[in-house]
């Protein structure tokens, strides 16, 4: 009796420690505990709950170095795909206003864009999604904890609230889905103090003004593209190549169009320091690695887009033996998303060798839950995953790049069909279509199976999504040639591809 009295008296006072009777009994409180409330984690948790399992989700957003924070839903909802696509749409509308005059619309001049109004509308929509995710969890009886989780032992998570209150949670199985956060080049003086990242851009209340975007990733080019499109003086600083990992011919066309669109590029340049002037502007110094010269300019905003790092620091993975890649910091998983600890799994951007894409994280999370609780054995297939870069002229692709196809099969064993085309919408508007281009990479022998499809032009994501099904199903070049196109569309040009790179013939489409 005395022992029971001592336990009851001691527990509440231990730094806000909260344990349930079930946890104390030695039986795990939850069947599944998901650390991370982003796309993959939420999908896994909700799917597991459908099988009648007791599920909890832990999610906590560490504010960015500039103090930006957001709600439930992860990177995609709050500081990624959703606000990015909406701001990209704002920029496309600006271009449409210019086109409209050629189509007979009288547009009052000058036309101005209001950043604050756009940002508020985008942020309001994002907040509605945050609320929607919380409602969905409640409806599916998934317990949500707004705490920062870390491993105490292989089945126990220590959760810490913003106010320092501690919660101990135990689970039979644990899924890590904490995603990644933008990197800062800490070796550059002033980078952390004065720069922002994509974690901050979408939540700025005032216009970023004249902006320098450092990096050549898709995040960098997408953000620079819509900033240019809404009328801001925007410069991209590139150390080496654009869109590393993507087809480089397509990447070059994307940046060429951006330059013609008004985005400035500083190529082969690396920043060395950022200083704040009395005017509050940022004086950036950089080195041109080709010429060796030092150059400088002043900007209102400097945004770093130099890569992302897995968000693992607070997890205490080493304490439970979860292995990570020493170079990338990402969690090593097998084909079933299992880590080096049998009952601990990981999905999404935090996993080594997986595409950093929302739809793959969602699919992987759902399939994992089905294998754990639904007697399924289906694994996530990461081959032929389509994606799109939402630059001013969009780039969509599925399958292998031309370089990767050559590397895998040899240049003599692949055939590349290609075409430069002009969207009908560009004709009356007299818009330049020099970079509107598509190519299909096929095996040369036998049935000419399609290895990759690449498309630059309007609505690239919508175009590639449909063709992705065919390529996933093993479509061949002859099959595609039997497909009747929808006229007049950009996508129909894919069904008419007939000129090969090998032939050396002009690949410009003529006629309608």
């Amino acid at each position: 009796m005395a022992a029971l009295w001592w336990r009851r008296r001691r527990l509440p006072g231990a730094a806000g420690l909260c344990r349930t009777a079930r946890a104390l009994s030695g039986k795990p409180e939850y069947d599944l505990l998901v650390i991370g409330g982003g796309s993959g984690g939420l999908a896994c948790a909700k799917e597991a709950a459908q099988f009648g399992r007791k599920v909890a989700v832990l999610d906590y957003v560490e504010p960015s170095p500039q103090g930006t924070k957001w709600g439930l839903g992860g990177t995609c909802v709050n500081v990624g795909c959703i606000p990015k696509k909406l701001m990209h749409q704002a920029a496309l509308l600006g271009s449409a206003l210019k086109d409209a005059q050629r189509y007979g619309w009288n547009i009052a001049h000058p036309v101005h864009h209001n950043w604050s109004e756009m940002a508020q509308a985008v942020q309001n929509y994002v907040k509605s999604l945050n609320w929607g995710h919380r409602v969905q969890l409640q409806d599916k009886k998934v317990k949500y904890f707004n705490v920062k989780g870390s491993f105490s032992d292989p089945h126990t998570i220590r959760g810490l609230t913003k106010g320092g209150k501690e919660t101990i949670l135990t689970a039979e199985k644990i899924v890590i889905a904490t995603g990644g956060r933008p990197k800062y080049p800490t070796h550059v003086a002033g980078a952390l103090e004065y720069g922002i990242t994509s974690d901050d851009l979408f939540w700025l209340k005032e216009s970023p003004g004249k902006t320098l975007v450092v990096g050549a990733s898709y995040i960098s080019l997408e953000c620079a593209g819509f900033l240019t499109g809404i009328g801001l003086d925007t410069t991209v600083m590139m150390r080496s190549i654009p869109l590393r990992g993507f087809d480089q011919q397509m990447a070059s066309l994307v940046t060429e169009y951006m330059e013609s669109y008004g985005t400035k590029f500083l190529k082969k340049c690396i920043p060395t320091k950022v200083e704040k002037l009395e005017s509050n502007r940022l004086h950036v110094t950089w080195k041109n690695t080709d010429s060796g010269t030092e150059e400088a300019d002043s900007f209102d905003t400097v945004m770093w887009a130099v890569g992302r790092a897995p968000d693992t620091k607070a997890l205490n993975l080493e304490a439970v033996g979860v292995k990570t890649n020493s170079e990338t910091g990402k969690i090593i998983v097998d084909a079933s998303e299992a880590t080096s600890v049998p009952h601990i799994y990981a999905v999404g951007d935090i996993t080594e060798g997986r595409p950093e894409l929302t739809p793959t994280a969602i699919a992987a999370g759902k399939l994992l839950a089905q294998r754990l609780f639904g007697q399924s054995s289906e694994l996530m297939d990461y081959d032929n995953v389509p994606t799109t870069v939402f630059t001013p002229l969009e780039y969509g692709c599925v399958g292998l790049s031309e370089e990767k196809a050559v590397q895998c099969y040899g240049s003599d064993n692949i055939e590349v069909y290609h075409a430069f085309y002009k969207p009908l919408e560009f004709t009356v508007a007299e818009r330049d279509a020099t970079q509107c281009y598509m190519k299909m990479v096929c095996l040369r022998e036998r049935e000419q199976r399609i290895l990759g499809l690449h498309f630059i032009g309007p609505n690239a994501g919508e175009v590639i999504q449909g063709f992705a099904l065919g390529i996933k199903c093993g479509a061949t070049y002859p099959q595609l040639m039997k497909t009747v196109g929808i006229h007049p569309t950009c996508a129909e040009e894919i069904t008419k591809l007939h000129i090969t790179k090998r032939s050396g013939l002009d690949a410009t489409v003529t006629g309608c």
Side-chain angles (χ1 to χ4, degrees):
M1 187 72 180
L4 179 60
W5 173 85
W6 178 83
R7 281 175 67 189
R8 288 173 65 184
R9 185 179 171 200
R10 184 173 178 231
L11 277 173
L17 186 64
C18 174
R19 281 194 179 98
T20 67
R22 196 172 171 199
L24 287 170
S25 72
K27 182 182 178 183
E29 188 177 1
Y30 292 95
D31 296 310
L32 179 68
L33 186 62
V34 178
I35 309 174
S39 304
L42 291 175
C44 185
K46 289 185 284 188
E47 190 73 13
Q50 307 234 101
F51 293 103
R53 300 300 178 136
K54 190 171 183 185
V55 183
V57 170
L58 275 62
D59 189 60
Y60 184 87
V61 178
E62 193 71 51
S64 75
Q66 301 304 325
T68 308
K69 52 189 177 181
W70 50 88
L72 181 64
T75 297
C76 172
V77 166
N78 294 282
V79 289
C81 321
I82 299 301
K84 175 272 303 288
K85 181 73 182 293
L86 291 172
M87 292 190 180
H88 171 61
Q89 174 65 11
L92 292 181
L93 290 171
S95 296
L97 285 174
K98 296 173 186 173
D99 291 352
Q101 296 170 81
R102 293 280 184 180
Y103 281 94
W105 287 93
N106 293 316
I107 307 293
H109 289 283
V111 174
H112 292 295
H113 180 266
N114 186 314
W115 172 277
S116 299
E117 194 170 331
M118 173 193 69
Q120 188 62 61
V122 169
Q123 290 159 19
N124 286 345
Y125 178 64
V126 168
K127 287 173 183 175
S128 77
L129 295 178
N130 298 148
W131 177 250
H133 280 306
R134 294 191 67 163
V135 170
Q136 283 180 21
L137 291 180
Q138 191 172 19
D139 288 348
K140 294 181 184 297
K141 295 181 172 57
V142 175
K143 184 71 174 173
Y144 165 60
F145 293 91
N146 183 208
V147 298
K148 186 191 296 186
S150 63
F151 282 92
S152 293
D153 66 48
H155 286 280
T156 307
I157 298 297
R158 174 180 177 264
L160 203 62
T161 68
K162 182 182 176 183
K165 184 179 179 182
E166 191 178 71
T167 302
I168 299 298
L169 302 164
T170 59
E172 188 66 37
K173 301 183 191 303
I174 296 172
V175 173
I176 306 167
T178 50
R181 298 292 290 268
K183 291 180 183 176
Y184 271 86
T186 50
H187 63 282
V188 177
L192 194 61
E193 295 89 336
Y194 306 124
I196 68 168
T197 67
S198 55
D199 276 0
D200 308 293
L201 180 65
F202 305 109
W203 292 91
L204 295 178
K205 289 183 169 56
E206 302 298 329
S207 170
K210 181 182 177 183
T211 303
L212 173 67
V213 184
V214 182
S217 63
Y218 74 89
I219 294 171
S220 167
L221 298 187
E222 287 177 337
C223 291
F226 72 67
L227 291 174
T228 303
I230 61 174
L232 300 181
D233 184 343
T234 309
T235 302
V236 173
M237 184 180 291
M238 288 171 41
R239 175 176 58 89
S240 54
I241 61 171
L243 297 178
R244 186 180 300 278
F246 287 87
D247 187 288
Q248 283 303 293
Q249 180 190 10
M250 308 306 281
S252 295
L253 290 169
V254 166
T255 53
E256 281 173 23
Y257 183 85
M258 287 182 69
E259 285 188 272
S260 69
Y261 183 74
T263 306
K264 300 167 190 169
F265 281 82
L266 293 168
K267 299 176 182 177
K268 305 288 185 184
C269 292
I270 53 173
T272 52
K273 63 181 174 181
V274 182
E275 301 166 292
K276 195 163 192 175
L277 304 174
E278 287 184 10
S279 63
N280 279 333
R281 297 197 91 195
L282 302 175
H283 188 73
V284 183
T285 306
W286 64 87
K287 182 180 179 181
N288 185 308
T289 56
D290 267 356
S291 65
T293 57
E294 190 174 84
E295 300 167 45
D297 197 0
S298 295
F299 301 88
D300 297 306
T301 300
V302 175
M303 177 182 145
W304 305 106
V306 292
R308 296 177 66 83
D311 197 6
T312 57
K313 285 183 183 177
L315 293 175
N316 198 24
L317 296 178
E318 60 281 357
V320 291
V322 173
K323 291 182 180 177
T324 60
N325 182 310
S326 58
E327 290 184 12
T328 65
K330 292 191 173 189
I331 296 173
I332 297 168
V333 293
D334 64 13
S336 66
E337 322 301 346
T339 70
S340 51
V341 180
H343 63 278
I344 299 176
Y345 303 82
V347 294
D349 292 6
I350 202 169
T351 52
E352 181 64 34
R354 304 295 198 227
E356 294 185 4
L357 296 169
T358 295
T360 55
I362 291 171
K366 285 183 177 179
L367 287 171
L368 174 58
Q370 289 164 13
R371 290 194 302 274
L372 294 179
F373 304 115
Q375 289 148 3
S376 170
S377 59
E378 185 182 354
L379 298 173
M380 176 64 190
D381 182 359
Y382 289 97
D383 287 335
N384 291 322
V385 172
T387 190
T388 290
V389 183
F390 291 98
T391 37
L393 196 59
E394 297 172 8
Y395 164 38
C397 60
V398 58
L400 301 183
S401 65
E402 186 175 347
E403 295 94 335
K404 189 68 176 176
V406 168
Q407 182 185 331
C408 292
Y409 298 99
S411 57
D412 290 340
N413 298 314
I414 67 165
E415 197 75 85
V416 179
Y417 296 90
H418 68 146
F420 287 93
Y421 70 101
K422 187 160 192 171
L424 183 63
E425 299 86 341
F426 281 26
T427 55
V428 171
E430 297 182 7
R431 286 178 62 178
D432 182 23
T434 305
Q435 289 82 27
C436 290
Y437 176 74
M438 60 184 71
K439 69 176 173 182
M440 186 161 52
V441 184
C442 305
L443 278 175
R444 198 174 178 197
E445 300 300 323
R446 297 190 293 276
E447 294 180 322
Q448 288 193 285
R449 180 166 60 87
I450 301 168
L451 301 174
L453 180 63
H454 302 262
F455 176 94
I456 292 179
N459 305 303
E462 310 297 342
V463 170
I464 288 295
Q465 183 67 82
F467 286 103
L469 171 62
I471 292 172
K472 192 74 174 175
C473 293
T476 63
Y477 176 72
Q479 287 172 335
L480 191 62
M481 290 305 101
K482 291 177 184 175
T483 303
V484 177
I486 299 170
H487 187 69
T489 63
C490 296
E492 75 171 312
E493 299 302 334
I494 294 174
T495 68
K496 299 190 287 186
L497 285 170
H498 65 283
I499 294 174
T500 66
K501 279 193 173 183
R502 194 184 307 275
S503 73
L505 298 173
D506 183 4
T508 305
V509 173
T510 56
C512 69

